[in-house]
């Protein structure tokens, strides 16, 4: 990658006062959590039924398809530590440049890196919630992973419980706050997402006129034509080359 692109990125960052980051699974691959659509991603894993694993109607009748996936994912997430990409965003917040992270990731690593204003639009794994009522919740630390495969039963109503993540067919979380934040952005920093999933893929269209869009992603995305700058590179390498993570111990 030419130095010129890093200089351009630094210039855009220094000129911005309100950076909003929009992140996806590519930010956490170097932490050992696979993304979805890469050749080694979750949807390429023959042991996972990608068509049905996040389908809420399937889950209501048969929680085992998701349960098998969760049994595999859960240890990967619990062992994961924030990556250089996550710490780059923490640094941008410390510099009073970054105001918000909108993430599709459910791994909680942005918060673990220390960022304050994180909107987890696809939810998180910290709690299990009943499919019958969002008020029936259990702290995930009280759930045994080996029980998830056969289905966790809600102690209040007997329905199935799942981690508080969004399945296809459900509404994303915090949409109102997300729109407010994105409309304030003067730079939208898109990192580690193929932007294939609606409604997140449509969020950049809510930016005000003049907002710069930067994409840092190994492969192309659905928004490349709209971007002021595209860096097709490993996010951790970008974080290092930009000098954002030099003082972080790993
Ligand atoms: P995808 O797998 O669709 O996209 C991840 C992107 O990150 C890919 O384009 C990769 O090329 C890129 N990538 C991977 N590792 C990288 C690295 N180290 N450096 C730079 N780029 C890297 O994942 P998402 O866009 O996050 O939703 O997927 C969006 C949603 O699809 C997920 O939240 C999930 C899934 O279905 C639900 O489950 C509701």
């Amino acid at each position: 990658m030419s130095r010129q692109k890093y200089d351009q990125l630094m210039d855009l960052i220094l000129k911005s006062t309100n950076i909003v980051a929009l992140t996806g699974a590519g930010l956490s691959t170097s932490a050992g959590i696979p993304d979805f659509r890469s050749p080694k991603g979750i949807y390429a894993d023959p042991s996972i039924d990608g068509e049905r694993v996040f389908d809420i109607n399937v889950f209501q009748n048969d929680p085992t398809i998701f349960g098998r996936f969760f049994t595999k994912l859960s240890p990967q997430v619990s062992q994961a530590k924030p990556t250089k990409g996550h710490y780059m965003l923490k640094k941008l917040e410390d510099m009073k440049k970054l105001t918000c992270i909108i993430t599709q990731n459910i791994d909680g690593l942005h918060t673990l890196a220390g960022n304050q204003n994180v909107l987890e639009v696809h939810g998180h794994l910290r709690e299990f919630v009943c499919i019958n009522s969002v008020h029936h919740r259990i702290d995930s630390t009280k759930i045994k992973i080996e029980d998830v495969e056969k289905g966790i039963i809600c102690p209040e109503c007997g329905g199935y419980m799942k981690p508080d993540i969004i399945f296809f067919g459900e509404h994303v979380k915090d949409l109102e706050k997300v729109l407010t934040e994105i409309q304030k952005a003067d730079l939208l920093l898109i990192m580690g997402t193929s932007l294939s999933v609606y409604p997140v893929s449509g969020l950049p269209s809510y930016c005000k006129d003049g907002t710069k869009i930067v994409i840092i992603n190994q492969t192309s995305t659905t928004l490349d034509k709209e971007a002021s700058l595209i860096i097709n590179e490993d996010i951790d390498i970008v974080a290092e080359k930009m000098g954002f993570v030099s003082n972080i111990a790993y």
Side-chain angles (χ1 to χ4, degrees), residues 166-213:
I166 295 303
F167 280 27
F168 290 107
E170 295 187 299
H171 294 293
V172 295
K173 292 174 183 285
D174 291 329
L175 191 54
E176 220 170 293
K177 277 191 207 162
V178 162
L179 294 177
T180 305
E181 295 288 357
I182 216 154
Q183 281 160 358
K184 287 190 284 186
D186 55 5
L187 172 61
L188 183 65
L189 188 52
I190 298 174
M191 296 169 76
T193 174
S194 61
L195 288 173
S196 316
V197 174
Y198 186 81
V200 168
S201 58
L203 291 178
S205 66
Y206 289 90
C207 287
K208 58 182 190 258
D209 286 351
T211 301
K212 304 281 186 214
I213 294 180

Side-chain angles (χ1 to χ4, degrees), residues 153-171:
I153 304 295
C154 175
E156 295 191 56
C157 73
Y160 285 125
M161 302 191 88
K162 66 176 181 61
D164 196 2
I165 61 175
I166 295 303
F167 280 27
F168 290 107
E170 295 187 299
H171 294 293

Side-chain angles (χ1 to χ4, degrees), residues 25 29 35-37 43 104 122 193-194 197 217-219 235:
T29 50
D35 66 6
F36 292 89
R37 295 173 183 80
Y43 293 143
Q104 298 162 90
H122 289 173
T193 174
S194 61
V197 174
N217 203 60
Q218 242 155 15
T219 52
I235 290 167

Side-chain angles (χ1 to χ4, degrees), residues 66-76 145-146 148-149:
F66 174 77
R68 275 195 294 279
F69 160 73
F70 183 80
T71 310
K72 207 168 178 180
L73 176 79
S74 180
Q76 290 169 332
I145 296 179
E146 56 272 25
V148 177
E149 191 163 336

Side-chain angles (χ1 to χ4, degrees), residues 38 193-194 215-221 224 230-233:
S38 290
T193 174
S194 61
I215 299 176
I216 306 174
N217 203 60
Q218 242 155 15
T219 52
S220 62
T221 78
D224 285 5
I230 300 171
I231 302 185
N232 290 131
E233 177 63 278

Side-chain angles (χ1 to χ4, degrees), residues 46-97:
S47 72
I48 293 166
D49 184 345
E51 289 283 306
R52 299 194 295 163
V53 65
F54 297 118
D55 184 325
I56 192 66
N57 297 314
V58 171
F59 183 83
Q60 276 161 348
N61 296 314
D62 178 7
T64 63
I65 295 171
F66 174 77
R68 275 195 294 279
F69 160 73
F70 183 80
T71 310
K72 207 168 178 180
L73 176 79
S74 180
Q76 290 169 332
V77 172
S78 53
Q79 284 159 26
K81 295 199 168 57
T83 65
K84 293 179 183 181
H86 290 99
Y87 285 117
M88 166 174 164
L89 294 180
K90 166 73 167 98
K91 180 84 179 178
L92 287 174
E93 186 179 284
D94 293 345
M95 290 163 67
K96 308 264 182 270
K97 292 286 182 186

